[in-house]
Amino acid sequence: MAGLDPENWDALRALGHRMLDEMLDNVQNVASGPVWQPMPDTVRQGFRDAELPTQETSLTALYDQFSHSVTPYATGNRHPRFMGWVHGGGTPQGMLAELLAAGLNANLGGRDHAPIEVERMVVRWAATMLGFPETATGVLVTGSSMANFIAMITASRAVDGGLEMRSAGLAGRKLVGYAAQTAHGCIARAFDMAGLGTQALRRVPVDADFRMDMAALRQMVAADRAAGLEPFVVVGTAGTVDTGSIDPLTALADFAEAENLWFHVDGAFGAMARLSPHYAPALAGMERANSIAFDFHKWAQTPYDAGCVLVREPGRQAAAFAQSLAYLSREDRGLAAGAPWFCDLGPDLSRGFRALKVWFTLASFGTERLGGVVSQCCAVAQHLATRVQATPCLELLAPVTLNIVCFRVIAPDTDEDTLNGELVKDLQESGVAAPSTTIVHGKRAIRAAIVNHRTVEADADLMLDTLLDLAEKRLGHTLERQTA
Ligand SMILES: *Cc1c(COP(=O)(O)O)cnc(C)c1O
């Protein structure tokens, strides 16, 4: 029997249908189980001891292992009370699209085939969604880390039209960029990976609302220019990861224009707020950016992974990334036609069919319903913030701009940083809810990011009530829960 196809297609088909049914059941009932549970040592050890298989294992046995050792111990981000970091909840529609995409096994580096047109379509839709011209270029990537990286490379190559720097490197040029202190760590990482060095990323102080201080930015750019450095980019964040704050995007667009800087927006999750009529005005100015990085896998609920970078001016992205290797040469017709290819717009040559799940997600729900999810998440966050403020033993640590609530339990005479850190672990291990932590104004905060389309106010209530129970247990006394 040649090749790897199954000997018994009927048996494989039956098992495949069972897998599909059981996973759909699992998604449908996700809220009835724990958010997360620690993986037992025996299960973990099973993976650590497993040796490279040299012989066949039946798919039935593998699926059994998956069902017992993987499914129950996943991150939990599909669950309505997962509130940690910024994770999307996924949808069964997106899951089915992944199944179809894997069946086609398409490679979207390039060439002339329908999957490429699907990606072109969703990139064009993304541009429309975010207020960019339809002529903007873009590419789907793993996530905003990669999208921000591609944008920083594109911005730096735009300084001299790309060509010289691509062959000669920086050659002594001292390019510097700017991002608020609250910018995501992947921006500094992009500077690192691009060879610019993290010191070339100037960290601009923020105001009391965690937004970039424009006066400070002005001074820093002027001082750098005076010192002979070459400012090239300013990064604004639409929805910071710690508190959900939004940098003054219109002021940044004006400033970048006046100073001839590339204006990039990291809108990893926040860019999606543009789909909510109520929250869209808060993002005004974002549509003037030279480039945007954002994720479909966070607030847009597409299954992991699906990030996207958009570049306003046609040609800029290709100027930064396109290569002309003979064996990749483009033809006028046949399968090697259809340039430019997606491999011209980023570092990846072989690429999967992420575009299908993005298409199915955007089209299954439409942007109005997805915008409704954004509004709903923000409403849950507002509800949670209101409850925090009405509870004497709790303290709200940052304004709630979008969907992130930073707060903590006040317990005088205890180490509050340790207490709050331990409480988050208690809560995660309880299986009831999973917020995460961050540092706000030097204080350890409990951070609830409402990103999941399944989360409702009752979930925020249960998270908070359980947290207070756990705090009382840990402290050994009752807490003042209601204002009189
Ligand atoms: C999540 C996030 C990133 C990183 O995106 P990934 O998709 O995880 O790579 C960057 N910036 C912000 C503001 C984020 O929230």
Side-chain angles (χ1 to χ4, degrees):
M1 153 112 219
L4 300 174
D5 279 334
E7 245 165 87
N8 183 341
W9 277 96
D10 288 339
L12 183 102
R13 188 184 303 269
L15 179 57
H17 283 277
R18 205 184 110 208
M19 288 177 177
L20 186 58
D21 277 335
E22 290 181 1
M23 187 49 85
L24 287 171
D25 283 346
N26 184 279
V27 176
Q28 185 178 2
N29 299 315
V30 70
S32 62
V35 177
W36 173 80
Q37 54 187 337
M39 193 186 303
D41 288 343
T42 48
V43 173
R44 195 187 299 277
Q45 207 55 43
F47 289 113
R48 299 201 170 169
D49 293 340
E51 284 173 12
L52 174 69
T54 56
Q55 303 300 315
E56 296 180 40
T57 309
S58 78
L59 192 58
T60 311
L62 289 174
Y63 179 53
D64 192 56
Q65 283 181 32
F66 172 82
S67 302
H68 291 101
S69 305
V70 179
T71 308
Y73 309 112
T75 344
N77 53 301
R78 298 173 306 164
H79 194 289
R81 286 189 299 281
F82 185 97
M83 301 171 186
W85 305 275
V86 181
H87 280 32
T91 67
Q93 291 87 340
M95 164 192 148
L96 293 172
E98 279 287 69
L99 180 73
L100 300 179
L104 274 191
N105 192 29
N107 181 343
L108 278 84
R111 287 168 272 279
D112 197 10
H113 51 114
I116 292 276
E117 287 307 326
V118 173
E119 183 155 346
R120 288 187 180 134
M121 173 179 76
V122 300
V123 166
R124 180 169 53 81
W125 286 355
T128 304
M129 252 166 56
L130 301 188
F132 262 38
E134 279 200 356
T135 49
T137 61
V139 63
L140 297 179
V141 289
T142 41
S144 285
S145 299
M146 181 55 88
N148 280 307
F149 177 54
I150 290 175
M152 290 306 101
I153 296 273
T154 306
S156 66
R157 304 298 155 87
V159 169
D160 69 355
L163 299 174
E164 208 170 310
M165 204 182 297
R166 287 187 63 184
S167 56
L170 281 173
R173 295 179 77 151
K174 297 185 178 120
L175 297 187
V176 288
Y178 305 82
Q181 272 160 359
T182 46
H184 192 273
C186 72
I187 305 294
R189 207 176 187 204
F191 271 64
D192 173 3
M193 294 191 295
L196 298 162
T198 54
Q199 286 177 11
L201 178 66
R202 315 303 216 191
R203 304 309 292 262
V204 185
V206 292
D207 64 17
D209 290 341
F210 303 95
R211 311 173 74 215
M212 191 189 287
D213 178 341
M214 290 302 297
L217 172 67
R218 247 179 252 317
Q219 278 176 11
M220 289 166 80
V221 171
D224 282 342
R225 285 203 203 281
L229 305 179
E230 218 179 328
F232 75 102
V233 69
V234 58
V235 179
T237 303
T240 60
V241 70
D242 281 329
T243 69
S245 61
I246 301 167
D247 283 331
L249 301 175
T250 298
L252 278 172
D254 291 342
F255 179 76
E257 208 170 280
E259 292 280 332
N260 194 25
L261 299 174
W262 184 281
F263 174 35
H264 171 71
V265 171
D266 176 7
F269 67 93
M272 283 303 132
R274 205 166 187 277
L275 300 184
S276 156
H278 187 260
Y279 287 92
L283 298 179
M286 180 172 77
E287 73 290 346
R288 290 171 58 193
N290 294 95
S291 55
I292 301 185
F294 73 101
D295 283 320
F296 284 106
H297 60 213
K298 287 179 174 171
W299 233 349
Q301 314 296 332
T302 304
Y304 285 92
D305 49 26
C308 184
V309 60
L310 293 175
V311 177
R312 170 181 303 277
E313 195 186 328
R316 285 285 180 206
Q317 215 179 336
F321 287 100
Q323 286 183 305
S324 63
L325 296 176
Y327 80 98
L328 290 177
S329 71
R330 316 299 157 74
E331 304 291 348
D332 57 340
R333 61 193 183 81
L335 189 48
W341 291 354
F342 283 107
C343 66
D344 296 328
L345 304 180
D348 292 320
L349 177 56
S350 293
R351 314 172 53 250
F353 196 4
R354 291 189 184 97
L356 189 68
K357 63 191 171 185
V358 174
W359 173 23
F360 275 31
T361 303
L362 290 175
S364 288
F365 306 107
T367 54
E368 284 184 18
R369 192 143 170 229
L370 291 172
V373 167
V374 166
S375 301
Q376 178 196 313
C377 289
C378 293
V380 172
Q382 286 299 337
H383 170 77
L384 178 58
T386 304
R387 272 207 62 192
V388 166
Q389 285 177 302
T391 308
C393 67
L394 295 174
E395 176 187 16
L396 190 66
L397 291 174
V400 177
T401 308
L402 293 170
N403 57 336
I404 298 179
V405 185
C406 291
F407 66 103
R408 72 167 177 175
V409 176
I410 307 168
D413 308 323
T414 44
D415 177 347
E416 290 179 329
D417 282 348
T418 306
L419 173 71
N420 282 277
E422 292 303 308
L423 283 173
V424 166
K425 294 181 223 168
D426 291 348
L427 197 47
Q428 291 170 354
E429 288 180 350
S430 76
V432 174
S436 55
T437 64
T438 190
I439 307 286
V440 178
H441 289 314
K443 296 177 175 180
R444 182 160 297 273
I446 299 171
R447 176 178 163 290
I450 315 300
V451 189
N452 190 316
H453 59 95
R454 304 183 175 99
T455 307
V456 296
E457 290 184 4
D459 293 307
D461 287 335
L462 185 54
M463 185 274 286
L464 207 57
D465 293 336
T466 309
L467 175 78
L468 292 171
D469 292 345
L470 290 166
E472 289 183 345
K473 207 164 131 197
R474 207 165 248 288
L475 291 166
H477 60 76
T478 56
L479 289 163
E480 204 185 335
R481 296 196 181 200
Q482 292 298 329
T483 8

